[in-house]
Amino acid sequence: MILMYAFMDTRGTWHGDPDADIHESQPGQGSLTLPARAQAGREASLFAGQTLHVLYAVSDLEPSTATYQLDSGDTLLASWHVHELLSAPYRTPPDASPAEPAPPGPAPVAKLQIYADDRRYDLDAEPLDDGRIEVNVIISSAGGEICGDLTGEVDGTDLAPLSRLLNAAAGVCLPSPSPAPSAPAPSDKPVHRGAPWTEELLERLRAAHAEGKDTAALAAEFGRGEASIRWKLHHLKLEPFPDDLVPGRRALPTPEQPKAYTVADKREANPNAYKEWKPEDDQLLARRSAQGAGIPELSQEFGRGEGAVIGRLNKIGAIGPAADEAARYTY
């Protein structure tokens, strides 16, 4: 899948996963200008108003559901890591305080996400009509593999006691550490690739660098790639700029590696994938959205992927439930 996996801000600092493994000889490059102001009811991105230099390629990184339109007009999916950096945190829009009571709108949905070690925890909580709350928890690895999930309905007043029960169960059910555990088998890939750097980790990195540890030792200690360590040391002004890691200067392999898929492959599932949107297509898309068609239904009708439909709904300013859902995936 083609993903926007890294970007450079106006200060020349790289973000995302510039050292990610990609399935192409060279990444695609482009520019993305973020609006200076946030949409109504949303927080602005940390990079609001900047024109970013972005990298995109076929990658095994976990894709988000968000699409971004480059300055060239191309629409791309972003990796989860890039989307988390570019988007603002979820929050409920402030009340408009109308003079007269407004009709009840859709119930707010809580979407929370945290990282712990090499795991990501996603929680969705949605109020139901009977006053209960539907809770869905998905646990995934850094590589995007689902490790576990929890689903159920509870009364809102039961959430706090339930969290205490889960903490108590963890203390009872988790096995005690064995006296002499065997060393785990070495992994070829960094265990914390793409995880955010906390202030505590940065202080540890500064201290380890001051002790004279080389890049390989730092990579092993922090569970990251050597290229990632070198970029971070440069950002902390502890090492010079790593010219040899600039993606645009990668040497072409011989022979060139084939792409992971072709346009023909994509069109087996979506017959109109990568085809130009015609004015009559836009008019029909806007009309079907206004009539209440959902994104999966529009994807089948127009023979295009859901990401392409979402990007087009936002571009033409459509209305309707599908357009409202598509607006959630914009920056």
Side-chain angles (χ1 to χ4, degrees):
M1 178 179 296
I2 298 178
L3 295 177
M4 183 169 63
Y5 64 92
F7 63 92
M8 182 174 65
D9 61 24
T10 53
R11 297 180 301 174
T13 301
W14 283 99
H15 303 271
D17 299 288
D19 60 330
D21 294 330
I22 61 176
H23 299 286
E24 301 185 40
S25 57
Q26 289 189 1
Q29 304 187 42
S31 61
L32 171 66
T33 301
L34 300 183
R37 296 183 180 179
Q39 297 180 4
R42 298 191 178 189
E43 295 181 5
S45 167
L46 296 176
F47 303 92
Q50 295 190 29
T51 296
L52 310 174
H53 181 75
V54 303
L55 302 178
Y56 56 89
V58 176
S59 172
D60 293 330
L61 293 174
E62 182 181 4
S64 70
T65 53
T67 58
Y68 293 82
Q69 185 173 13
L70 303 185
D71 296 343
S72 63
D74 295 331
T75 301
L76 292 173
L77 278 173
S79 68
W80 264 113
H81 192 187
V82 168
H83 175 56
E84 289 167 352
L85 293 170
L86 293 180
S87 63
Y90 290 102
R91 68 181 182 92
T92 305
D95 295 334
S97 300
E100 299 180 359
V109 178
K111 291 182 176 290
L112 307 175
Q113 183 180 102
I114 61 172
Y115 285 89
D117 297 327
D118 60 343
R119 297 289 181 95
R120 195 183 80 199
Y121 301 81
D122 293 271
L123 182 147
D124 290 3
E126 180 174 4
L128 303 175
D129 294 337
D130 60 359
R132 295 165 65 81
I133 298 177
E134 181 181 357
V135 180
N136 295 289
V137 178
I138 297 179
I139 308 167
S140 55
S141 67
E145 298 175 349
I146 302 300
C147 304
D149 63 88
L150 291 172
T151 301
E153 299 177 6
V154 297
D155 190 277
T157 58
D158 295 329
L159 286 177
L162 180 60
S163 68
R164 294 198 294 270
L165 282 177
L166 289 173
N167 284 330
V172 173
C173 298
L174 290 179
S176 302
S178 33
S182 57
S187 173
D188 293 335
K189 293 188 175 181
V191 294
H192 297 306
R193 180 189 296 274
W197 285 89
T198 63
E199 286 300 324
E200 179 183 357
L201 288 175
L202 292 177
E203 287 300 322
R204 285 178 49 198
L205 180 62
R206 291 187 182 97
H209 180 266
E211 294 174 1
K213 295 183 178 180
D214 60 17
T215 303
L218 293 174
E221 178 176 345
F222 289 88
R224 301 171 187 261
E226 293 189 30
S228 177
I229 293 292
R230 291 179 60 193
W231 279 115
K232 186 56 63 177
L233 291 175
H234 167 65
H235 297 160
L236 296 175
K237 299 182 179 180
L238 298 176
E239 292 288 345
F241 183 84
D243 294 277
D244 57 309
L245 296 182
V246 177
R249 300 180 183 179
R250 293 183 181 180
L252 287 173
T254 305
E256 183 176 352
Q257 295 292 330
K259 293 185 177 181
Y261 64 87
T262 65
V263 172
D265 295 333
K266 296 292 288 185
R267 287 180 178 169
E268 288 184 4
N270 301 300
N272 294 322
Y274 301 113
K275 289 185 179 179
E276 180 182 1
W277 287 85
K278 298 180 180 179
E280 54 267 30
D281 295 333
D282 289 341
Q283 295 173 5
L284 179 57
L285 179 65
R287 183 165 65 252
R288 293 291 293 121
S289 176
Q291 291 172 349
I295 289 176
E297 183 179 354
L298 293 173
S299 174
Q300 292 184 355
E301 289 184 16
F302 287 84
R304 300 175 185 268
E306 292 189 10
V309 172
I310 289 171
R312 202 64 185 180
L313 287 169
N314 289 322
K315 182 177 180 62
I316 66 177
I319 61 174
D324 294 339
E325 184 178 355
R328 294 174 51 195
Y329 300 122
T330 59
Y331 44 80

